[in-house]
Amino acid sequence: MYPIRILNLEQTEEVLEMKTVIKDIEEVYAMKSRGAGKLFPLVFHEFEPGVADMDIKSGLLEDAGIFGLKLVSWFSGNAEKGMPLLTGTVMVFDITTGKPLGLLSAEHLTGMRTGAAGAIGAKHLARKGSENLLMVGAGHQATYQVAASLIALDNIRKVRVYDPLLSDNTVSFAARIKSVLMGSFLSKYDPGSEDYETVAKKFDVAFEAVSDIKSAVENSDVIITATPAHKPIVSNEWVREGTHFSCIGADMSGKQEIDERIFSRARVFVDDIVQAVNVGECEIPVKKGMIAKDSIIGEIGDLICGSKEGRLSERDITIFDSTGIALQDLMVANRALKSAEEKNIGSVVEL
């Protein structure tokens, strides 16, 4: 028998904080670029088309000494049973023995790593003096995107929020987001510490719900999109030179959040080239011939490692297409397990 640590949703919320997760995800991208992080083939199965399905994303991180998987299932009938439609679980294993190390709820973990990814794209590709952030989408993921972006970027002064599907939600999101940031993210740091003071200052910005997407795009330096859209929300004509996009929502074939014509004007980076051209924001531009697969400059890890150049001028439009990769989940899960062990959090069982 051997021990395995189990963390539920509340426990993952307790042990993870955003500044460290951002650093971890940057290291994941660098590992992938160096060849020390590998993705395994995706497994997808529909139990009943349009009703219930599941997918398994997996991989290994040699430098971290782990491999593992995230299994996500979607069962539409759960709504009638008072249960979540989406359920996710992460398993982490030791790369030298194959022994399972932990089993974790994936909901908060996924939110944290996805928020960190969008922020990392902006950190490395947006203009350094960027002051205006536009969050397109006001759903569950938007909170993580705003929190991570404010932590990662130094000069944001205003955050505009627009939701193409839930306009009423936009107003309530903008009204409550500062208190959520203070309660759920700032509270992870000790009051009076340097981290606490730094993050508190970064969260002290203006938040505004907007209904005019054209004007919001025209006046934004950084635009993060996190919606389930299948048609462009942002038109090419609205985008000024120097704008950066972190595109988060497109994670399966047919999804699209921004006008494909923007890609022909932009320097494009992705988290994984194969995924990006098959299920990411790059899919439609490639299929329509706006860009070729070879026109993608590289993966974000190449930029972090210094083998590729990102923004070349203040006038460049830049895009980071983040489809989400299993290596992110594994790294953050491993971080959560180590922190939980130090704090004696979670349940340890013998298998």
Side-chain angles (χ1 to χ4, degrees), residues 20-285:
T20 301
V21 170
I22 291 172
K23 292 177 182 177
D24 285 343
I25 298 304
E26 280 185 310
E27 181 58 23
V28 162
Y29 289 145
M31 286 183 189
K32 188 174 186 296
S33 180
R34 296 194 302 264
K38 296 181 175 63
L39 295 175
F40 303 148
L42 172 71
V43 175
F44 176 76
H45 177 72
E46 284 188 301
F47 299 100
E48 186 177 350
V51 176
D53 60 48
M54 74 92 196
D55 67 71
I56 301 173
K57 293 180 179 179
S58 56
L60 66 86
L61 289 167
E62 291 179 358
D63 291 354
I66 57 172
F67 70 95
L69 60 91
K70 180 170 77 171
L71 189 154
V72 176
S73 61
W74 177 75
F75 281 69
S76 60
N78 283 359
E80 301 171 359
K81 304 171 185 176
M83 298 172 61
L85 275 63
L86 204 66
T87 304
T89 304
V90 178
M91 290 195 70
V92 182
F93 300 81
D94 185 287
I95 203 169
T96 60
T97 65
K99 180 174 75 75
L101 301 175
L103 175 67
L104 305 88
S105 166
E107 181 181 347
H108 181 66
L109 187 154
T110 301
M112 292 288 283
R113 64 83 151 159
T114 308
I120 289 166
K123 174 184 174 181
H124 290 278
L125 289 168
R127 289 181 292 110
K128 299 305 179 186
S130 296
E131 295 185 351
N132 295 288
L133 170 67
L134 171 60
M135 183 68 236
V136 180
H140 180 67
Q141 179 55 220
T143 300
Y144 295 99
Q145 293 295 330
V146 171
S149 295
L150 291 178
I151 289 173
L153 304 176
D154 292 330
N155 298 297
I156 299 298
R157 299 290 176 264
K158 188 167 192 175
V159 178
R160 295 180 175 90
V161 184
Y162 172 83
D163 196 306
L165 301 177
L166 304 169
S167 56
D168 292 341
N169 194 44
T170 306
V171 176
S172 61
F173 180 93
R176 71 177 187 274
I177 182 61
K178 184 171 288 188
S179 63
V180 173
L181 295 176
M182 297 297 185
S184 298
F185 295 90
L186 182 62
S187 62
K188 300 301 180 184
Y189 310 102
D190 293 331
S193 68
E194 183 178 351
D195 280 343
Y196 185 95
E197 297 299 329
T198 300
V199 173
K201 184 177 180 180
K202 290 191 170 189
F203 285 172
D204 188 20
V205 299
F207 295 92
E208 178 188 359
V210 297
S211 57
D212 184 350
I213 180 65
K214 178 177 181 291
S215 176
V217 169
E218 291 172 341
N219 290 283
S220 295
D221 305 302
V222 178
I223 300 174
I224 299 178
T225 59
T227 74
H230 284 73
K231 293 182 179 180
I233 301 166
V234 177
S235 291
N236 178 52
E237 291 78 12
W238 308 338
V239 180
R240 66 182 184 183
E241 292 181 338
T243 303
H244 168 72
F245 289 89
S246 284
C247 300
I248 306 299
D251 59 357
M252 64 176 60
S253 183
K255 284 189 173 183
Q256 184 182 15
E257 298 186 291
I258 68 174
D259 192 329
E260 63 270 13
R261 293 174 294 170
I262 300 170
F263 279 78
S264 64
R265 303 166 57 193
R267 292 180 62 80
V268 181
F269 287 81
V270 301
D271 53 6
D272 182 80
I273 290 178
V274 174
Q275 278 194 186
V277 299
N278 284 291
V279 300
E281 193 67 32
C282 289
E283 179 200 5
I284 304 301

